[in-house]
Amino acid sequence: MTEEERASEDGDRSLADRTTPWRARETGAGGGLTGRLVRRFAWLDAPLFALILGSTAVVVVGGLVQVSMGSYEMTIGQAWAAVFNPNVLFDPQAWDAFLLGEAVPEMRTESLIVWNIRLPRVLVAVLVGMNLAVSGAIFQAVTRNELASPFILGVSSGAGLAILLTLVAFAGVTLVVPLVVTEITLGLSALLPVIAAIGGIAAFLLVYAIAWKNGTSPVRLVLAGVIVSTVFGSLQTAMFFFADNIGVVQSAIQWTTGSLTGVDWEQVRIAIPWTVFGLALAILSDRQLNVLLLGESTAKSLGMRVERARFGLSAVAVLLAAASIAVAGIVSFVGLIVPHVVRNVVGSDYRKLLIGCLFAGPALMVAADVGARLALRPTQIPVGIVTGLVGGPYFLYLMRRQENLGEI
Amino acid sequence: MGERGFATDGGVGSTLGGDDDGDGTDDSPATDSDGGGASEFGGEDIVVGYPNADEPVVDGESIRVPPGEVTALVGPNGSGKSTLLKGLADQLSLDRGTVRVDGTEVHELGAKRLARKLGLLSQDNAAPNSITVEKLVAHGRYPHRGAFESLSDADRDAIDRAISMAGVDHLRDREVGSLSGGQQQLAWIAMALAQETDVLLLDEPTTFLDLRHQLQVMEIVERLRDESETTVVLVLHDIEQAAQYADHVVALEDGAICARGSPESVVTEGLLADVFGIDAAVTRTDHGPQVTPLRALGDGDGGNETGESDGAEE
């Protein structure tokens, strides 16, 4: 069969398609530096760009609402003026206070409230949204299951159990850290963020150990995650049973449903290093994630050490999830829905998907936190309740619309 | 072998053996000085099975693949042909035995270097539906790129060559999920070609395809042999296809190699009766031996040539 015959049979094959080399097509007329730039940012296509713009708009509007509303009333104009107050924005001393935890310099009441109380809450929401969305996206590639979430490998149950143990069983225990000149005494509850993160990571390692048998497989990892979550979940419930006052229970619930109430710059400081580190690693690993999607045997025959990649990527995802647990508790559904929404818009290519998650995650988180803070004013509800209320119906909608939900 | 491509230029072939073979295991002078440049590939005393099973599927077989030629593994369902291929490809770890490419044991090569020498297209391929053919083929360059490198011009050339060799130019920007099974298989083959390995292993590349796509796949295999020095090993379900296209046929039964050699010497009425359990007439034609299945013999397993689906496949 000649080339032409085959062409006519396949119909849509044009001569131009066959003869134009792709370099020319992809870079347009300009070669050299512009060509390379165009190629480098070829992933930024129209759907992704629209997603980024839309998400940024949601974050800005949500942030604006958050900083202007609350028990100290101010107009949107006042709040905005406070946000862009040059005396704060360009004051190195203020940034020292925010980012390094030194004393906050003198400033006007509006500025103080906006910068010291309301803005950090928005920032933490942004960081948590990014972390959870990217973490979920990674786990979906690692398990090759679109319904995987950051907490699928037991992270949430481990963190939850660690929190309850701390609050209920070891409430009175204090930790004495000897220093050279003095020693500091810490109540264990002051270390709650760290303990939560450690609990999550420990559960993840336990899941991996259970799943390991001459290597792992996505299915065995998920099953091991279910096993560990079930057992730890029961233990959590048992701890609730033994809690002797309602305050402890409420505080534990805040942690296990995820809440941004009362966060300030300290939470920003806790989350930022891990976030930057983890997100950079994730985005640099986009090709590994894409190759993992091709299935284990293909990935292996392409020269990937699948087991190592799977563990490394899971570790990055757990790190991101743990960082968000440490500052906001266990916020459900964000890591599940956001990658899903983004995938529907930009497709399954992980470069685009991860970049999209960096913007869409914060959008959902900030919007949900507006609801959590303002829906039942003056009572604040944990933000995790709002994300769950939004997430459930979204999945119902997907289930009705899509035949084969779950396949990437 | 990035620059070599599919050219038959003998002189360039020598660059691949020498430069990155600098580890201690230099016990194969014969292959390095081999003028043709086609890769030596084979396994010795291979014992391989699945982790959960007690008995190995293939127990102590050796296979040497003629360099630069097409070798077909044939056998009834469950005969261990795919298992043997996976063992050769280092997808299943061997219980015993060694597999060597150009004299170097595959384990000593390291994952990426092995993937530059040895490619495998497995049977169960899954890609996200929204990936384009071009992106899929680009993944074939994975072993040639550093961890954080972007595609080089050499990579792009290799992708172009692979796409045109597999005849999927017209599908280039289509999403894989929108293609027919046959077109998807061609896209996957293009990905394996973009890997530009010296040895290419294909696990049942024509199974479940319509006749036209089967022919397209086998034409690619022929071109690989004729236009490059790639050594091809493929598992074929269809013994007639093996007889027509392969230079060398290896027949397996119950995990043991029971015949090997040219198609004429292997595909015989006697072998079809013994190994495949069928009574068939074999006629010699210009395209190799032609098999006309007549009836299934006895009630042993695996005798049905009409393609009854396999229960416990390898």
Side-chain angles (χ1 to χ4, degrees):
Chain A
M1 188 183 275
T2 71
E3 205 70 352
E4 257 55 52
E5 277 165 348
R6 221 180 307 166
S8 61
E9 260 198 64
D10 281 319
D12 52 352
R13 178 186 196 171
S14 75
L15 191 69
D17 264 353
R18 265 182 297 153
T19 49
T20 319
W22 73 333
R23 228 162 329 207
R25 275 191 296 143
E26 206 174 282
T27 56
L33 184 66
T34 43
R36 228 171 305 146
L37 272 180
V38 169
R39 209 189 287 157
R40 175 133 296 184
F41 288 98
W43 46 266
L44 189 61
D45 56 6
L48 180 58
F49 193 64
L51 181 91
I52 289 175
L53 277 186
S55 302
T56 311
V58 171
V59 171
V60 170
V61 172
L64 183 61
V65 172
Q66 283 282 45
V67 294
S68 54
M69 296 177 84
S71 50
Y72 184 95
E73 290 291 346
M74 54 181 102
T75 66
I76 287 184
Q78 276 176 317
W80 228 205
V83 170
F84 290 110
N85 182 358
N87 292 336
V88 182
L89 263 184
F90 301 112
D91 182 2
Q93 214 187 333
W95 284 105
D96 278 354
F98 300 147
L99 296 179
L100 302 174
E102 309 198 346
V104 180
E106 289 278 315
M107 54 176 86
R108 298 212 338 259
T109 319
E110 280 90 10
S111 293
L112 197 66
I113 286 174
V114 164
W115 274 91
N116 217 22
I117 296 171
R118 294 182 184 171
L119 208 53
R121 181 166 178 156
V122 178
L123 285 179
V124 171
V126 166
L127 294 175
V128 168
M130 284 178 176
N131 284 356
L132 290 178
V134 169
S135 172
I138 293 176
F139 273 127
Q140 291 176 2
V142 166
T143 60
R144 295 185 60 217
N145 184 341
E146 217 184 3
L147 301 179
S149 80
F151 306 135
I152 193 157
L153 297 189
V155 175
S156 59
S157 61
L161 184 60
I163 287 162
L164 273 152
L165 275 175
T166 313
L167 290 177
V168 178
F170 304 114
V173 179
T174 52
L175 201 66
V176 179
V177 184
L179 295 176
V180 184
V181 281
T182 173
E183 54 187 30
I184 46 173
T185 310
L186 288 171
L188 265 191
S189 15
L191 293 173
L192 221 44
V194 185
I195 289 169
I198 291 174
I201 291 168
F204 160 72
L205 293 176
L206 180 62
V207 164
Y208 233 91
I210 290 176
W212 191 273
K213 187 181 167 193
N214 303 317
T216 61
S217 74
V219 175
R220 269 222 303 281
L221 281 172
V222 172
L223 286 176
V226 171
I227 293 166
V228 169
S229 298
T230 310
V231 173
F232 280 20
S234 277
L235 291 175
Q236 269 187 53
T237 316
M239 299 303 297
F240 273 118
F241 190 74
F242 290 113
D244 42 9
N245 81 54
I246 190 84
V248 169
V249 172
Q250 268 183 346
S251 160
I253 285 179
Q254 272 210 347
W255 271 96
T256 51
T257 49
S259 165
L260 292 173
T261 308
V263 301
D264 64 14
W265 285 101
E266 192 190 338
Q267 274 70 33
V268 177
R269 290 195 292 271
I270 290 175
I272 268 190
W274 304 112
T275 304
V276 171
F277 178 67
L279 292 180
L281 275 181
I283 287 173
L284 285 174
S285 311
D286 59 332
R287 190 146 40 91
Q288 279 69 17
L289 290 162
N290 276 329
V291 169
L292 266 186
L293 288 187
L294 301 179
E296 182 153 0
S297 67
T298 305
K300 211 170 166 185
S301 64
L302 286 173
M304 171 185 272
R305 271 178 273 191
V306 176
E307 213 55 75
R308 222 166 73 166
R310 199 145 56 198
F311 184 80
L313 290 165
S314 300
V316 171
V318 166
L319 182 76
L320 289 170
S324 82
I325 288 178
V327 295
I330 301 158
V331 182
S332 62
F333 273 111
V334 175
L336 186 55
I337 309 174
V338 173
H340 211 221
V341 174
V342 176
R343 192 176 288 115
N344 278 346
V345 177
V346 305
S348 60
D349 178 42
Y350 260 75
R351 168 67 62 88
K352 291 191 227 168
L353 183 60
L354 291 177
I355 302 272
C357 283
L358 285 187
F359 291 87
L364 175 61
M365 212 40 210
V366 170
D369 195 40
V370 171
R373 197 163 82 99
L374 302 174
L376 301 178
R377 250 188 329 159
T379 312
Q380 299 192 18
I381 54 173
V383 66
I385 291 177
V386 180
T387 55
L389 285 176
V390 177
Y394 175 74
F395 266 91
L396 181 64
Y397 159 74
L398 279 182
M399 197 182 93
R400 292 276 165 197
R401 211 194 52 173
Q402 256 172 286
E403 209 44 54
N404 49 356
L405 189 65
E407 290 169 23
I408 287 194
Chain B
M1 65 174 275
E3 295 80 34
R4 190 168 62 114
F6 298 112
T8 41
D9 190 349
V12 198
S14 56
T15 56
L16 60 129
D19 58 355
D20 58 341
D21 211 22
D23 51 353
T25 59
D26 206 348
D27 52 350
S28 57
T31 50
D32 280 347
S33 58
D34 187 66
S39 267
E40 292 276 341
F41 179 62
E44 267 169 46
D45 197 20
I46 294 175
V47 179
V48 62
Y50 291 88
N52 297 326
D54 299 332
E55 295 284 305
V57 179
V58 175
D59 196 354
E61 290 297 332
S62 296
I63 181 169
R64 232 185 122 266
V65 177
E69 295 190 2
V70 176
T71 301
L73 305 181
V74 298
N77 292 339
S79 61
K81 51 193 193 298
S82 283
T83 313
L84 178 60
L85 194 79
K86 284 178 196 162
L88 288 172
D90 200 29
Q91 290 268 330
L92 286 173
S93 49
L94 304 183
D95 296 335
R96 211 177 66 218
T98 52
V99 176
R100 287 171 190 275
V101 189
D102 281 333
T104 317
E105 213 186 311
V106 292
H107 286 292
E108 288 162 14
L109 275 172
K112 276 203 174 176
R113 244 177 92 201
L114 176 63
R116 290 196 291 266
K117 284 181 171 287
L118 178 69
L120 167 75
L121 182 64
S122 48
Q123 230 175 325
D124 43 349
N125 291 312
N129 285 336
S130 65
I131 191 177
T132 64
V133 171
E134 184 177 302
K135 283 264 162 64
L136 178 67
V137 177
H139 284 316
R141 299 305 293 170
Y142 183 85
H144 296 268
R145 298 160 69 183
F148 305 122
E149 274 172 32
S150 54
L151 283 176
S152 69
D153 283 346
D155 290 329
R156 280 157 208 279
D157 289 338
I159 293 165
D160 284 340
R161 277 195 300 273
I163 286 181
S164 91
M165 185 156 190
V168 288
D169 306 66
H170 58 299
L171 303 174
R172 193 166 191 142
D173 298 316
R174 289 270 296 276
E175 293 184 354
V176 172
S178 72
L179 304 178
S180 72
Q183 291 171 322
Q184 287 187 6
Q185 180 70 339
L186 291 177
W188 280 101
I189 288 178
M191 188 202 80
L193 293 176
Q195 216 173 323
E196 299 206 319
T197 54
D198 307 336
V199 180
L200 183 59
L201 310 180
L202 304 167
D203 193 358
E204 302 211 16
T206 56
T207 306
F208 303 124
L209 301 189
D210 59 40
L211 272 176
R212 178 161 166 271
H213 283 110
Q214 287 191 28
L215 285 175
Q216 283 183 317
V217 169
M218 294 315 292
E219 279 164 16
I220 296 169
V221 171
E222 278 192 315
R223 283 181 66 195
L224 265 181
R225 174 189 53 198
D226 297 341
E227 296 174 19
S228 75
E229 282 160 343
T230 313
T231 304
V232 182
V233 183
L234 68 177
V235 168
L236 285 177
H237 197 65
D238 182 346
I239 188 153
E240 214 167 1
Q241 219 161 45
Q244 189 180 348
Y245 289 97
D247 304 307
H248 191 74
V249 178
V250 176
L252 283 96
E253 185 188 17
D254 289 334
I257 294 177
C258 55
R260 62 181 102 204
S262 66
E264 287 76 16
S265 68
V266 173
V267 183
T268 60
E269 289 169 5
L271 178 110
L272 289 169
D274 292 345
V275 176
F276 288 86
I278 58 164
D279 187 9
V282 177
T283 21
R284 300 228 158 176
T285 70
D286 294 343
H287 311 292
Q290 195 177 0
V291 179
T292 314
L294 301 173
R295 64 189 184 85
L297 291 171
D299 52 359
D301 53 78
N304 201 335
E305 264 289 300
T306 54
E308 184 180 275
S309 72
D310 29 11
E313 188 34 339
E314 55 264 57

